[in-house]
């Protein structure tokens, strides 16, 4: 291993005549290449050339239809990613799936954690191993840094370190520098070279030719699913590589027409967003198609999204026809005359479960409305006309857009803007994954719009279509325009690729330094300790107004009252941790309380009461898990139904009567006893919480429960699948809820006749979410939950001591619930949708 | 060619599943009612049916509001509490001898106001609707308790008839022999059907429910649309609450709370009648009617609340399980 050169000739991975066909497309055709040990081998090609398909075959995501893959000389058929990893092929994706709330060690070792005595995580050993891996790549952070606090570049390093932990023979890096600054990219190259010197084979995928040529040993170029050639970089010129990548295809038909070009319509000055878009100037005239060429991560989509107000503008000005346009939302932008055809048509362009007609009339539906009602006949006719005009297949306005082919879907996205008053059309990669016929139709529409005097921006990484269809072209890289071709004749595919793939050293410095400064120190302290501070202040104010509040007797009273609620909140928290939800939490505890009381009334003793109560909770939790995991119901609905069932069961069991207990005393001790001055139930709470804390934070099970709740995709990539751990959380949570019910009946000398679990539910939810705002990473946490539950109990107690009516207490709890959530979500506000279906 | 079916007999099983999808739920609902009719023939007497229709209006109107919110993937746990509060306000105003217009306008304004706050919290602040409206439910409950000195019922039926005649007409009057309340229900059904079919709002709401990001990029003000759903829910709940007090002549704080559970069951059951398990206004109407008939049948059989809760829950779970069959993965 010390001398990689001596192994230079040994082949690690070999592809022999690989063929992969998708419906209608030959993605890979007779591709043969060999990667030798210890080299850095670049895969080059335009979008759609077949690079990602090849990588997916090598990592087991796809299986080849023909040919064979040999790893270490042995022919293999990789079933899935884990199979590939087992054979030593690891991949680092462009966008890293990590659990931000975990530290680096837990992220890297998720799925292969190290445990010591009693099954507890051996954090020491984990840290040691991870630190060793981090050292290999010279990382500037340690194993116990929270991933949340790392930059994008550092997260990429975490991913590389994670891949290295598996001791791969070959490491695939997919576009690793796309979202890095030059400085960060330079650091990454150092890491790659270091790995090569350690004998690791690296397959490097990138569009940036400069970095490729200075970093790698050999390159393989793909075009249209075929291997154009494999050659060492020594002695290859950049121009040669560009020629290989672009090639000269069979001339495709481009319906470009000459259209009179008028006055400037759209003027953009110094537009910037975050650090992805760093001061762009553009002018587009009426009737003009302006091409924006660039690679992934160049800031082209950010430009389009910033223009329509979907991303926040940092600086700059935009005018349409002389009128200033500063849209806060895409709706304002629509009114200003913008139309966006987004890059990802299935997720951003269409509402795929709506019909062609509904999608076509979506942005301008009020156009057909009068007095608040639209005229469905006129609307349908307009949609029909568009279907005809765009030649959408099938020629009907009725099908769901999800069932259309990619090309026809794209025509719908284009078509819906044709009915409005749009003047500026932003086409973001409109032809990716679109068949040739639809492509031509989309080009025709562009020309048609231009003829009508619209200004068109055409964003694409297919440089041939840019070259053929545009009147003028600019090239973007790293959030800036690096080249403007006033004369379209010069904007050949080669020239465009040449400019787009350059790294643009000198221009970048200003861009990265313009990143907004970190938030202030005070603000950070507040967001970390704000909740705790608020709690302390509240307690202090109450103590001031009601001195009796802090008396020893009262404190222990509060602890006793709070403990019962805290138990229910604990059970709920455990369910929430793995991404579930439990509407039935309160009703479950209530049912268990009744069952426990009934068991005692039947004379079966304390132990039986505890067993039955806990068992009931466990059973309900298991059924909930079954509904969610087997029938794939959203947790909200499943547990809502279960809540009804539990309430019905409770009433059936107690016959609508309160079950009042008069013994045995050892049972009451659970809820009402004291050890010295301390309530026994509180001691029990502390023990259970400590136990849960250890299980959740210090065992493999707990770590994985958190992982599937916080980022199921990341967990899945590490082989931690959701069902097992979601099941565990429902079952454990259910058990605790059942036991909480037992304690409830011991505390209240029996069970009440009412079956309203909703009251417990809200207190428990408030405690769980308020508790989560106490933690460093803002994640749900049993200790936080218990502190919050006790706080809520003291608040109720204190308010009553001050003389506030007990009738106001539910309202106060409701308010705290809303506020504690609002604190957490206000900064990254979405709209509060829940998964109901 | 590209069907996703992987079973060995795709044609046969597809037809069976298709049949089950299309007619199963409706047949199932009818079957339940037939069982009641056999066990208690009085169940199908005209008087009982008229009675059930009369009773069902409050639930159906609340369910319409909940359905609008849920069709956008929101949820409003405060609908029943809004109805409760609105009814209480109406009752207190009647007791204080206020004019009829105020007795009706004030509760409706209350419903709209709460809906606005719910909408602001969910759509603009971004608090998950399930949390925000749960909190709101408790805030309203506190308000009610304080307003009524700890849940004292507000009794209207013992007032002099002159004071209450106009107000009671909503819930107890008849027009040409048909219950005024049923007519109100039909009117609201027609209005909601029109609103959810022919207004731009309905189209936008559907888009928000289908794909909020795509809807936003298509130039839809998704926050306003999402918030709008809560306002509609608040208004309809308030209407239902006033109707309930007018029907019963008494406003018991927290008396309307059971409607929340029934409304969920009505909405989920209603999805069974749509081909793609969507929430539709006619579906909600049928769901609400079925739930009310179910409650009535259980009462006739002498089976009380436990069975209602249990069956409601079971029907929600059943509806979702069948719905899972209907949707593409």
């Amino acid at each position: 291993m010390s001398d990689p050169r001596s192994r230079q000739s040994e082949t690690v991975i070999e592809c022999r005549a690989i063929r992969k066909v998708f419906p209608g497309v030959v993605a890979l055709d007779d591709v043969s290449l060999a990667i030798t040990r210890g080299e850095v081998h670049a895969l080059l090609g335009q979008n759609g050339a077949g690079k990602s398909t090849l990588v997916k075959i090598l990592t087991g995501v796809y299986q080849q239809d023909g040919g064979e893959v040999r790893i270490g000389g042995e022919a293999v058929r990789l079933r899935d990613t884990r199979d590939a990893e087992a054979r030593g092929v690891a991949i680092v994706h462009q966008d890293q799936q990590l659990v931000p709330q975990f530290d680096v060690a837990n992220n890297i070792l998720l799925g292969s954690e190290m445990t010591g005595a009693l099954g507890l995580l051996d954090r020491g050993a984990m840290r040691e191993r991870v630190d060793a891996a981090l050292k290999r790549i010279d990382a500037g952070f340690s194993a116990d840094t929270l991933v949340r606090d790392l930059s994008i570049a550092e997260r990429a390093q975490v991913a590389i370190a994670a891949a290295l932990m598996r001791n791969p023979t070959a490491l695939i890096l997919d576009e690793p520098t796309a979202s890095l600054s030059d400085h960060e990219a330079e650091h990454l190259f150092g890491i790659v070279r270091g790995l090569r010197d350690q004998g690791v084979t690296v397959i490097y995928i990138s569009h940036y030719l400069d970095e490729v040529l200075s970093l790698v040993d050999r390159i393989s170029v793909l075009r249209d699913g075929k291997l154009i050639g494999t050659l060492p970089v020594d002695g290859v010129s950049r121009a040669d590589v560009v020629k290989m990548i672009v090639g000269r295809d069979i001339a495709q038909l481009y319906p470009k027409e000459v259209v009179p070009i008028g006055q400037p319509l759209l003027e953009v000055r110094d537009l910037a967003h975050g650090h992805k878009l760093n001061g762009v100037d553009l002018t587009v005239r009426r009737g003009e198609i302006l091409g924006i060429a660039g690679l992934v991560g160049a800031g082209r989509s950010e430009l389009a999204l910033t223009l329509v107000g979907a991303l926040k503008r940092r600086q700059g000005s935009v005018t349409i026809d002389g009128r200033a346009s500063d849209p806060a939302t895409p709706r304002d932008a629509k009114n200003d005359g913008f139309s966006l055809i987004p890059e990802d048509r299935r997720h951003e362009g269409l509402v795929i479960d709506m019909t062609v007609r509904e999608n076509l009339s979506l942005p301008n539906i009020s156009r057909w409305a009068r007095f608040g009602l639209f005229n469905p006949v006129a609307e349908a006719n307009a949609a029909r006309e568009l279907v005809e005009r765009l030649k959408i297949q099938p020629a009907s306005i009725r099908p769901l857009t999800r069932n259309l082919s990619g090309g026809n879907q794209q025509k719908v996205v284009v078509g819906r803007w044709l009915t409005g008053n749009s003047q500026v059309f932003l086409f973001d990669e409109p032809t990716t994954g679109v068949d040739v016929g639809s492509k031509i139709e989309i080009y025709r529409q562009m020309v048609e719009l231009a003829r009508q005097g619209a200004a068109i921006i055409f964003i694409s990484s297919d440089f041939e279509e840019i070259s053929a269809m545009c009147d003028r072209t600019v090239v973007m890289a790293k959030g800036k325009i690096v080249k403007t071709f006033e004369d379209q004749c010069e904007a050949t595919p080669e020239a465009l690729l040449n400019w787009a793939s350059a790294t643009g050293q000198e221009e970048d410095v200003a861009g990265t330094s313009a990143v907004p400064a970190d938030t202030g120190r005070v603000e950070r302290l507040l967001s970390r300790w704000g909740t705790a501070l608020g709690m302390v202040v509240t307690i202090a104010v109450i103590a001031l107004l009601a001195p009796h509040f802090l008396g020893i007797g009262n404190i222990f009273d509060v602890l006793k009252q709070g403990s019962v609620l805290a138990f229910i909140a604990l059970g709920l928290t455990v369910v929430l941790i793995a991404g579930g939800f439990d509407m039935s939490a309160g009703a479950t505890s209530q049912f268990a309380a009744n069952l426990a009381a009934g068991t005692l009334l039947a004379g079966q003793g304390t132990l039986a009461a505890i067993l039955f109560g806990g068992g009931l909770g466990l059973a309900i939790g298991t059924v909930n898990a079954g509904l969610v995991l087997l029938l794939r119901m959203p947790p909200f609905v499943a547990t809502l139904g279960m809540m009804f069932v539990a309430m019905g069961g409770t009433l059936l069991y107690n016959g609508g009567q309160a079950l009042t207990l008069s013994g045995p005393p050892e049972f009451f001790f659970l809820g009402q006893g004291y050890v010295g001055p301390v309530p026994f139930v509180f001691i029990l709470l502390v023990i259970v919480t400590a136990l849960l804390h250890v299980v959740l934070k210090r065992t493999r099970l707990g770590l994985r429960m958190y992982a599937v709740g916080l980022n199921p995709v990341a967990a899945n990539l590490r082989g931690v699948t959701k069902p097992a751990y979601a099941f565990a959380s429902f079952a454990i949570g259910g058990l605790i809820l059942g036991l909480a019910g037992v304690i409830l009946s011991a505390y209240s000398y029996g069970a009440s006749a009412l079956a309203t679990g909703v009251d417990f539910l809200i207190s428990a939810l408030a405690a769980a979410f308020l508790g989560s705002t106490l933690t460093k990473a803002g994640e749900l946490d049993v200790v936080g939950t218990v502190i919050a539950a006790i706080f809520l109990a003291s608040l109720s107690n204190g308010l009553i001591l001050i003389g506030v009516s007990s009738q106001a207490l539910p309202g106060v709890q409701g308010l705290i619930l809303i506020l504690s959530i609002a604190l957490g979500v206000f900064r990254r506000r979405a709209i509060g949708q829940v998964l109901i279906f | 060619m590209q069907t996703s079916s992987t079973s060995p007999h795709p044609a046969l099983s597809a037809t069976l599943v298709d049949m089950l999808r299309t007619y199963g739920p409706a047949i199932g609902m009818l079957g339940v009612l037939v069982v009641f009719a056999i066990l208690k023939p009085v169940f199908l007497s005209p008087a009982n049916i008229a009675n059930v229709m009369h009773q069902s209006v409050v639930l159906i109107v609340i369910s319409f509001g909940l359905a609008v919110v849920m069709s956008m993937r929101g949820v409003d746990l405060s609908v029943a509490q809004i109805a409760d509060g609105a009814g209480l306000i109406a009752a207190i105003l009647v007791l204080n001898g206020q004019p009829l217009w105020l007795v009706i306008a004030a509760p409706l304004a209350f419903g709209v106001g709460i809906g606005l706050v719910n909408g602001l919290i969910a759509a603009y602040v971004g608090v998950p609707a399930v949390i925000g409206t749960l909190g709101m439910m408790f805030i309203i409950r506190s308000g009610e308790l304080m307003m009524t000195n700890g849940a004292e019922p507000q009794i209207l039926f013992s007032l002099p008839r002159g004071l209450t005649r106009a107000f009671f007409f909503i819930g107890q009057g008849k027009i040409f022999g048909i219950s005024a309340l049923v007519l109100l229900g039909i009117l609201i059904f027609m209005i909601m059907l029109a609103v959810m079919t022919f207004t731009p709002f309905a189209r936008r709401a559907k888009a928000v429910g289908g794909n909020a990001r795509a809807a936003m990029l298509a130039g839809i003000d998704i926050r306003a649309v999402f918030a709008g759903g809560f306002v509609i829910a608040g208004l309809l709940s308030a209407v239902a609450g006033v109707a309930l007090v007018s029907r019963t002549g008494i406003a018991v704080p927290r008396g309307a709370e059971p409607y929340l559970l029934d409304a969920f069951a009505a909405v989920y059951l209603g999805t069974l009648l749509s081909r793609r398990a969507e929430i539709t206004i006619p579906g909600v109407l049928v769901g609400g009617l079925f739930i009310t008939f179910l409650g009535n049948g259980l009462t006739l059989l002498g089976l009380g609340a436990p069975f209602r809760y249990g069956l409601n829950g079971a029907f929600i779970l059943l509806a979702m399980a069948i719905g899972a069959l209907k949707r593409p993965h």
Side-chain angles (χ1 to χ4, degrees):
Chain A
M1 260 194 215
S2 52
D3 183 14
R5 302 285 152 184
S6 66
R7 296 165 180 267
Q8 197 80 39
S9 54
E10 186 189 337
T11 297
V12 188
I13 297 178
E14 192 182 358
C15 299
R16 289 190 182 167
I18 299 284
R19 183 178 168 80
K20 178 73 191 172
V21 182
F22 293 111
V25 189
V26 179
L28 288 177
D29 187 12
D30 192 24
V31 171
S32 301
L33 60 95
I35 315 273
T36 51
R37 183 177 298 276
E39 74 168 335
V40 180
H41 193 118
L43 275 184
L44 301 175
Q46 297 203 59
N47 282 351
K51 295 177 311 232
S52 55
T53 310
L54 184 61
V55 165
K56 281 179 175 158
I57 287 173
L58 289 179
T59 51
V61 178
Y62 294 156
Q63 283 73 42
Q64 70 270 25
D65 297 322
E68 66 177 9
V69 177
R70 300 176 80 90
I71 296 179
E74 185 190 344
V76 293
R77 195 168 178 83
L78 302 167
R79 276 165 294 138
D80 52 29
T81 45
R82 269 183 282 300
D83 193 16
E85 270 176 19
R87 293 183 180 277
V89 182
I91 182 164
V92 176
H93 291 283
Q94 185 187 343
D95 53 334
Q96 275 322 307
Q97 287 291 348
L98 298 169
V99 183
Q101 293 88 340
F102 281 6
D103 67 10
V104 173
N106 282 348
N107 259 294
I108 288 185
L109 289 172
L110 179 64
S112 49
E113 306 86 350
M114 299 146 89
T115 51
L118 296 169
L120 298 187
L121 292 180
D122 189 348
R123 286 281 304 166
M126 286 172 68
R127 213 173 292 136
E128 207 172 294
R129 267 195 75 186
V130 168
D131 272 330
L134 292 177
K135 207 166 167 201
R136 255 179 103 180
I137 57 168
D138 207 10
F141 52 90
S142 75
D144 36 290
T145 318
L146 283 186
V147 164
R148 205 172 71 131
D149 299 334
L150 297 178
S151 71
I152 297 171
E154 287 168 327
R155 289 180 197 204
Q157 294 172 21
V158 172
I160 294 174
L164 287 178
M165 296 301 281
R166 292 170 181 77
N167 275 323
T169 20
L171 183 64
I172 302 175
L173 300 178
D174 185 9
E175 292 276 2
T177 57
S179 40
L180 302 190
S181 72
D182 285 342
H183 176 70
E184 290 166 332
E186 206 49 61
H187 184 75
L188 182 89
F189 301 152
I191 294 173
V192 173
R193 290 192 187 101
L195 290 175
R196 171 178 55 192
D197 295 341
Q198 293 166 33
V200 179
T201 309
V202 178
I203 298 176
Y204 192 90
I205 297 168
S206 176
H207 287 294
Y208 295 97
L209 291 183
D210 287 342
E211 67 182 44
V212 165
L213 293 178
S214 65
L215 178 67
V216 310
D217 301 312
R218 292 199 300 160
I219 59 172
S220 287
V221 179
L222 289 167
R223 190 201 314 151
D224 300 329
K226 294 194 182 73
L227 184 74
I228 301 305
T230 298
L231 61 168
V233 285
D234 299 331
V236 174
S237 78
R238 199 164 185 284
D240 293 339
V241 178
V242 167
K243 203 163 279 170
M244 285 174 75
I245 293 173
V246 178
R248 274 274 160 243
D249 297 84
I250 316 109
Q252 197 191 331
L253 221 56
Y254 289 101
K256 177 68 183 164
E257 289 175 40
V258 181
V259 169
I261 288 178
Q263 291 302 305
L265 180 58
L266 174 72
E267 304 221 36
V268 179
R269 293 290 165 262
D270 198 23
L271 193 68
H273 157 76
H275 59 273
K276 292 280 189 76
L277 190 66
N278 302 313
V280 164
D281 296 291
L282 283 177
T283 302
V284 194
R285 290 167 290 178
R286 286 187 183 282
E288 186 175 46
I289 302 178
L290 175 77
I292 299 186
L295 303 172
V296 178
R300 302 162 309 161
S301 295
E302 284 79 5
L303 171 63
L305 291 173
T306 307
L307 279 176
V308 301
L311 291 178
K312 207 171 161 53
R313 189 186 291 187
R314 192 177 77 219
Q315 62 186 46
S317 66
V318 177
T319 58
I320 292 186
D321 216 3
R323 276 173 294 111
S325 162
D326 186 7
T329 64
R331 180 165 170 262
D332 299 341
K334 178 180 75 182
N335 296 336
D336 288 348
F338 279 107
S339 292
L340 171 69
I341 290 93
E343 184 178 7
D344 181 346
R345 69 182 156 266
R346 280 183 78 82
H347 296 111
E348 304 202 309
L350 292 170
V351 183
I352 55 171
D353 280 322
M354 294 195 357
T355 61
V356 169
R357 165 192 180 169
E358 287 168 329
N359 269 292
L360 279 173
S361 50
L362 193 57
N364 295 307
I365 183 72
S366 45
R367 162 171 296 261
W368 295 281
R370 188 181 277 184
F371 308 121
L373 298 179
F374 63 77
N375 178 344
V377 179
E379 183 231 347
N381 284 338
R384 229 170 260 129
E385 199 188 300
L386 282 171
V387 167
E388 231 167 84
R389 194 166 135 198
L390 292 165
K391 303 195 177 67
I392 292 172
Q393 290 298 330
S396 161
I397 58 171
R398 274 203 296 271
L400 289 187
T401 44
R402 80 151 59 234
N403 299 330
L404 264 52
S405 73
N408 286 299
Q409 285 181 339
Q410 189 64 286
K411 287 189 212 163
V412 173
V413 182
V414 176
R416 69 178 186 202
W417 294 112
L418 301 182
T419 51
N421 301 320
S422 298
Q423 304 188 67
V424 180
F425 288 81
L426 310 170
F427 286 82
D428 191 356
E429 300 277 7
T431 61
T432 41
V434 163
D435 58 289
V436 179
S438 297
K439 265 189 194 176
I440 292 174
E441 208 52 57
I442 291 163
Y443 298 142
R444 272 216 186 98
Q445 285 309 319
M446 281 187 197
V447 174
E448 188 52 38
L449 289 167
R451 196 198 310 280
Q452 289 165 13
I456 292 167
I457 291 181
F458 182 13
I459 296 170
S460 177
S461 34
D462 179 342
F463 298 142
E464 197 181 299
E465 66 179 14
I466 290 259
S467 175
M469 286 304 300
C470 298
D471 300 299
R472 240 163 11 109
T473 300
V474 300
V475 180
M476 280 186 78
K478 306 269 172 188
K480 305 204 82 165
I481 289 178
V482 292
K483 172 72 183 171
T484 305
F485 291 97
E486 290 294 343
D487 180 358
Q488 188 66 13
C489 297
E490 292 170 12
T492 60
E494 287 86 350
L496 293 175
L497 178 59
N498 208 10
W499 280 96
S501 59
T503 326
Q505 306 278 352
E506 72 285 359
E507 303 206 47
D508 196 64
V509 187
T512 39
S513 62
V515 176
D518 242 6
T519 40
R521 201 180 144 72
V522 180
E523 226 172 295
R524 249 179 305 151
L525 274 177
L526 255 182
S527 78
R528 174 69 187 91
W529 296 109
T531 313
L533 190 71
M535 286 183 177
V536 172
V537 170
T538 313
I539 300 280
V541 170
I542 294 174
L544 221 67
L545 293 173
H548 178 59
F549 179 65
L550 284 186
I552 290 292
N554 191 54
I555 288 183
F556 283 127
D557 263 358
V558 168
L559 289 182
K560 197 168 79 177
Q561 291 162 15
S563 294
V564 179
L565 164 65
F567 268 111
I568 299 176
L570 274 182
L572 182 65
T573 306
V574 173
V575 177
L576 293 171
I577 278 174
F581 194 83
D582 194 354
M583 286 294 285
S584 67
T588 304
S589 291
Q590 190 89 335
F591 196 177
N594 274 278
L595 188 64
T599 309
L600 288 170
L601 284 178
Q604 284 174 297
T606 303
L607 192 63
I610 296 174
L611 283 179
F612 286 169
L616 177 73
L618 184 64
I620 292 180
T622 310
V623 175
N624 280 338
L627 294 172
V628 171
L629 299 171
L630 296 180
L631 295 177
R632 276 178 291 154
M633 284 186 204
F636 171 78
V637 192
T639 56
L640 179 77
M642 182 51 75
M643 169 175 139
F644 285 149
V645 174
M647 286 165 65
T650 308
L651 288 179
L652 202 59
Y653 184 76
N654 65 21
Q657 304 288 318
L659 302 176
T660 314
L661 294 175
S662 50
E666 78 262 20
F667 182 70
F668 294 148
F669 185 76
L670 279 178
Q672 289 286 0
Y674 285 87
V675 176
V678 188
F680 176 69
V681 62
F682 182 68
I683 298 176
L684 204 60
L685 176 70
V686 171
I687 295 172
V688 171
T689 309
L691 214 69
L692 276 175
H693 182 75
V694 169
V695 169
L696 288 168
K697 294 286 166 106
R698 288 284 172 266
T699 68
R700 187 175 281 184
L701 174 72
L703 189 71
R704 292 180 178 184
M705 276 165 62
Y706 266 110
V708 298
L710 292 168
N711 189 344
V713 183
N716 200 33
L717 280 175
R718 302 287 155 80
V720 176
T721 52
K722 180 149 189 167
Y725 300 96
F727 177 84
S729 94
F730 271 113
I732 299 175
L735 177 65
I736 297 168
L737 289 170
L739 293 176
V742 176
I743 289 161
L744 174 65
S745 78
Y747 174 80
S748 45
Y749 302 104
S752 70
L754 284 171
T756 50
V758 190
D759 304 75
F760 289 125
L761 179 66
I762 185 172
S763 311
L765 275 175
F769 286 117
L770 188 60
S772 76
T773 62
L774 283 168
T775 65
K776 199 160 121 199
E779 91 266 19
L780 292 153
D781 174 83
V782 284
V783 178
T785 298
V786 167
I787 293 174
I790 301 292
F791 170 75
L792 289 177
S794 13
L795 185 65
S796 306
N797 172 283
L799 289 177
I800 290 173
L801 285 183
I802 293 174
V804 174
S805 151
S806 67
Q807 294 152 2
L809 291 182
V812 172
Q813 289 199 345
L815 209 59
I816 288 178
L817 176 63
I818 295 176
L819 286 178
S820 62
I821 299 288
L823 271 178
V825 298
F826 194 68
R827 279 173 187 279
R828 47 174 179 84
R829 57 196 189 126
I831 59 175
Q833 293 180 318
V834 254
L835 192 60
I836 289 181
F837 289 103
Chain B
M1 223 168 26
Q2 290 183 342
T3 48
S4 56
S5 173
T6 50
S7 86
H9 303 294
L12 180 65
S13 68
T15 337
L16 260 174
V17 171
D18 257 10
M19 296 273 288
L20 200 72
R21 279 175 190 168
T22 322
Y23 302 111
I27 294 173
M29 286 190 206
L30 269 179
V32 172
L33 299 185
V34 167
V35 169
F36 282 133
I38 293 169
L39 292 176
K40 285 276 166 184
V42 72
F43 184 65
L44 280 189
S45 69
N48 191 52
I49 289 180
N51 175 38
V52 173
M53 305 282 261
H54 187 74
Q55 277 180 12
S56 67
V57 174
V58 171
L59 170 63
I60 289 171
V61 172
I62 292 178
S63 306
F64 283 156
L66 183 62
V68 172
V69 177
M70 283 172 58
S71 68
M72 289 189 277
R73 289 173 188 263
V75 72
D76 190 347
L77 295 175
S78 67
V79 280
Q81 214 69 45
I82 294 174
D84 214 39
L88 201 61
I89 292 172
I92 290 174
L93 291 175
V94 172
L95 283 172
N96 284 322
Q98 296 297 326
L100 184 66
W101 70 266
L102 188 64
V103 168
I104 292 173
L108 300 194
F110 164 77
V112 170
I114 298 289
L116 269 175
V117 175
N118 277 339
L120 283 177
I121 292 173
Y124 288 88
V125 181
V127 173
V130 61
I131 307 285
T133 56
L134 188 63
M136 180 56 77
M137 167 178 165
F138 277 70
I139 293 171
I140 300 173
R141 183 187 288 177
S142 267
E144 287 176 31
L145 292 178
M146 287 190 285
M147 214 157 61
T148 57
N149 210 359
E152 273 173 21
Q154 307 294 305
I155 301 166
L156 304 183
F157 54 72
S158 57
L159 289 178
R161 285 200 55 80
L163 269 178
T164 56
R165 182 179 296 125
F167 179 66
F168 280 177
F169 182 78
I170 307 167
Q172 300 171 13
K174 283 187 189 308
I175 300 173
F176 303 123
I178 301 170
S179 145
L181 190 55
V182 171
L183 291 176
L184 178 70
I186 293 174
L187 179 69
I188 292 176
F189 168 68
M190 308 277 263
I191 292 174
M192 285 309 292
L193 197 60
V195 165
M196 295 315 286
T197 316
F198 295 121
T199 63
F201 168 79
R203 228 13 118 58
R204 293 176 184 141
K206 193 174 175 192
V208 169
N211 182 343
R213 171 133 183 109
M216 181 195 74
L217 290 178
I220 289 172
D221 187 345
I222 55 170
R223 293 188 195 281
V225 173
F226 198 62
F230 289 92
V231 175
I232 293 179
L235 175 64
L236 287 176
S237 300
V239 170
V242 173
L244 177 67
V245 170
S246 167
R247 191 186 88 198
T248 55
I250 185 170
V252 188
R254 307 189 53 181
E257 282 178 19
Y259 282 106
L260 176 63
L261 311 185
D262 287 352
F264 270 112
V267 172
Y268 281 121
L269 277 175
T271 62
L272 291 180
L273 294 167
S274 126
R275 220 156 35 92
R276 286 197 289 270
E278 286 163 340
I279 294 175
T280 61
I281 293 296
V284 174
L285 176 72
V286 174
L289 279 173
F290 176 74
I291 293 292
T292 317
F293 270 107
L294 183 74
N296 174 264
L298 289 171
T299 312
L300 288 179
L301 290 174
L303 301 173
F307 290 91
R308 279 192 56 189
Y309 284 137
L311 283 176
N312 274 359
F315 279 125
I316 289 180
L317 295 179
L318 193 69
M320 290 309 295
I322 296 176
L325 286 179
K326 292 194 181 190
R327 277 183 306 277
H329 305 136

